[in-house]
Amino acid sequence: MVSHPLRVLVCGTGAASHVLATLISSRPDVELSVFTRSPDKAREWTNILRHERLKATLGSGRAEIAAGSFLVTSDPAQAARGCDIAILSLPAFVHHGYLAALAPHLEEGCVVVGLPGQCGFGFEVRKMLGRCTVLDFTSLPWVCRLERFGTRVHIAGIKETVAGAIRETTATSRIVDPVQTVQSLLGDPARLVVSGHPLGVTLGSINATVHPPIMYSRWSDWDGAPLDHEPLFYESIDERAAWLISEIGQEIIAIARRIMSQHPAVDLSGVIDKYDWYLKSYGPGIADKSSLMTAIRTNASYAGIAHPMIEVTPGKFIPDFSHRFLAEDVPFGLIVSRGIGEIVGVPTPTIDLVVRWAQELLGHEYLTRHGLTGLDLAGTRCPQRYGFVTLHDILDLDEQAALTRRS
């Protein structure tokens, strides 16, 4: 149990980390450290904080929230010292590097939070840190944008709820109630809804289910000619994109149902239809709830977000296929669900369609005609990459049995 001020570590220097730094540092009795693996960014942000406070603005009215004091460092030992909660709010492809840097310094009982963890986060933490308490969430609580590094971040929208799960182990946590503690750090809204098995968060990842199919629908028939504008990402989706999102969602639901049929105690009921997810997460902010397509198109939090583009000549744009919508959400998203589906014997033809298109653009090979046997599988977080090749491995049933005996 914590008897000192709560010591929180936030990893990263992106928009989400700026929001977290603002909210958490403004809380009483909390000591915050922000850890970046970039010494240059640590020095830059530290210098900024000497003469200017970090502020977050909220919504169209741009109400301000001012941060308190906090430390920014690139020294993992300094960042992790006495840490009670470590929050990773980073692209999934850099999780490994951050966890490797922190692993020798995080003290026993530290609670690790993925906000969001993205698919396979629990697999990565188990591999890098061993068994510890892990809180994993399907998405960020907000849609946010960094306006000026170190000084200003804008929160464009806040979700009503954020789904997550907790993986508790035989190792003792430094925090008595990790869920309530994280909720108090973030404030309301969004409300953290933590339930079910952590595998449900991996299977329920919204980014993996939405971003790649929108990219596929918009660009799979592209003739290569530059555009004279940057098309809107969410607001211009068509029926095909909505169908792909829905079909991928249904394939993932089928995987969850197959697992629950074999292990009824494993609660994956949080893996829901994507239309239902949008209504649950963004309800009041959606103007037209008549279909999945219209719900995405008219979600106020998505207003103005464009496709990732590269300006090749003034006023001429081509799609950026190296953007995280493919580079992260395929190997750390769709491939993970595909790997779980392969283990439990659920076919995933729509996932396969999008993956085969995306892997060619990314210059990687994950999926072959023999399944997930590609040369670049080590650069993913599918369970096979960690040597988890049975459902028993994925669910970590030995540890859960030990936890049940202890309780």
Side-chain angles (χ1 to χ4, degrees):
M1 185 172 179
V2 176
S3 58
H4 51 260
L6 186 70
R7 292 172 183 155
V8 181
L9 167 63
V10 169
C11 296
T13 57
S17 297
H18 278 69
V19 174
L20 286 167
T22 305
L23 298 177
I24 294 172
S25 67
S26 66
R27 308 291 298 180
D29 300 320
V30 175
E31 294 179 2
L32 173 67
S33 296
V34 174
F35 172 55
T36 171
R37 295 181 67 207
S38 167
D40 291 340
K41 285 191 174 181
R43 281 192 296 269
E44 181 182 359
W45 201 349
T46 298
N47 289 334
I48 289 170
L49 290 174
R50 290 194 177 105
H51 55 81
E52 192 168 355
R53 292 178 75 181
L54 171 63
K55 293 179 181 178
T57 57
L58 179 60
S60 57
R62 300 185 71 84
E64 285 192 347
I65 306 169
S69 60
F70 58 93
L71 169 74
V72 182
T73 180
S74 60
D75 179 355
Q78 183 182 32
R81 189 173 298 122
C83 177
D84 301 305
I85 300 177
I87 303 175
L88 280 76
S89 198
L90 298 154
F93 57 82
V94 298
H95 284 171
H96 178 87
Y98 274 81
L99 290 171
L102 292 169
H105 310 291
L106 288 175
E107 297 179 12
E108 184 177 353
C110 178
V111 176
V112 179
V113 181
L115 193 70
Q118 298 285 38
C119 301
F121 181 70
F123 302 155
E124 185 72 22
V125 173
R126 201 194 317 176
K127 182 74 171 181
M128 300 300 299
L129 302 182
R131 291 183 168 93
C132 60
T133 297
V134 179
L135 260 173
D136 192 3
F137 293 95
T138 55
S139 68
L140 284 170
W142 341 271
V143 176
C144 53
R145 181 178 68 255
L146 185 58
E147 295 187 330
R148 205 166 112 212
F149 179 79
T151 62
R152 189 166 294 273
V153 63
H154 181 61
I155 303 171
I158 301 177
K159 297 180 177 71
E160 286 196 303
T161 62
V162 177
I166 187 167
R167 177 181 177 272
E168 297 183 279
T169 72
T170 51
T172 302
S173 169
R174 295 164 67 94
I175 305 297
V176 173
D177 188 342
V179 177
Q180 184 53 45
T181 301
V182 174
Q183 180 73 79
S184 69
L185 293 173
L186 300 180
D188 294 310
R191 183 169 60 91
L192 304 180
V193 180
V194 176
S195 63
H197 193 279
L199 190 62
V201 176
T202 279
L203 292 171
S205 171
I206 190 66
N207 289 349
T209 315
V210 171
H211 295 158
I214 291 178
M215 292 288 284
Y216 176 89
S217 181
R218 179 64 181 80
W219 302 111
S220 60
D221 298 325
W222 177 54
D223 62 6
L227 280 67
D228 58 7
H229 67 288
E230 297 174 281
L232 293 172
F233 189 76
Y234 298 103
E235 294 168 272
S236 66
I237 74 162
D238 56 14
E239 289 284 3
R240 180 169 73 156
W243 180 85
L244 288 166
I245 293 168
S246 181
E247 285 297 300
I248 288 174
Q250 290 304 311
E251 289 173 4
I252 292 171
I253 288 172
I255 293 170
R257 287 175 177 167
R258 177 68 59 85
I259 293 170
M260 287 190 289
S261 72
Q262 297 179 20
H263 294 275
V266 175
D267 180 7
L268 301 177
S269 58
V271 183
I272 61 175
D273 180 83
K274 293 310 166 187
Y275 174 69
D276 295 333
W277 184 91
Y278 270 99
L279 298 187
K280 188 174 181 180
S281 299
Y282 287 106
I286 296 174
D288 184 348
K289 300 179 174 69
S290 58
S291 69
L292 175 61
M293 183 185 74
T294 62
I296 294 174
R297 276 184 170 184
T298 65
N299 181 359
S301 293
Y302 288 163
I305 297 175
H307 271 266
M309 306 294 285
I310 300 169
E311 190 170 16
V312 288
T313 60
K316 294 293 183 181
F317 303 89
I318 62 172
D320 180 4
F321 295 125
S322 67
H323 188 271
R324 65 180 177 85
F325 287 172
L326 293 183
E328 177 178 12
D329 293 330
V330 173
F332 299 91
L334 288 182
I335 291 293
V336 184
S337 294
R338 174 58 166 79
I340 297 169
E342 187 171 294
I343 287 171
V344 300
V346 172
T348 55
T350 316
I351 290 176
D352 292 1
L353 172 71
V354 176
V355 165
R356 291 186 191 282
W357 172 78
Q359 69 181 9
E360 185 174 345
L361 292 169
L362 293 169
H364 294 303
E365 182 190 59
Y366 308 123
L367 185 62
T368 74
R369 60 191 181 91
H370 302 295
L372 285 178
T373 58
L375 296 174
D376 299 300
L377 212 60
T380 76
R381 282 208 306 225
C382 69
Q384 291 88 341
R385 175 224 189 269
Y386 301 96
F388 304 152
V389 294
T390 67
L391 189 52
H392 190 285
D393 296 333
I394 294 173
L395 298 175
D396 197 17
L397 293 178
D398 291 335
E399 172 66 10
Q400 295 312 302
L403 183 61
T404 300
R405 287 195 298 271
R406 191 181 74 169
S407 62

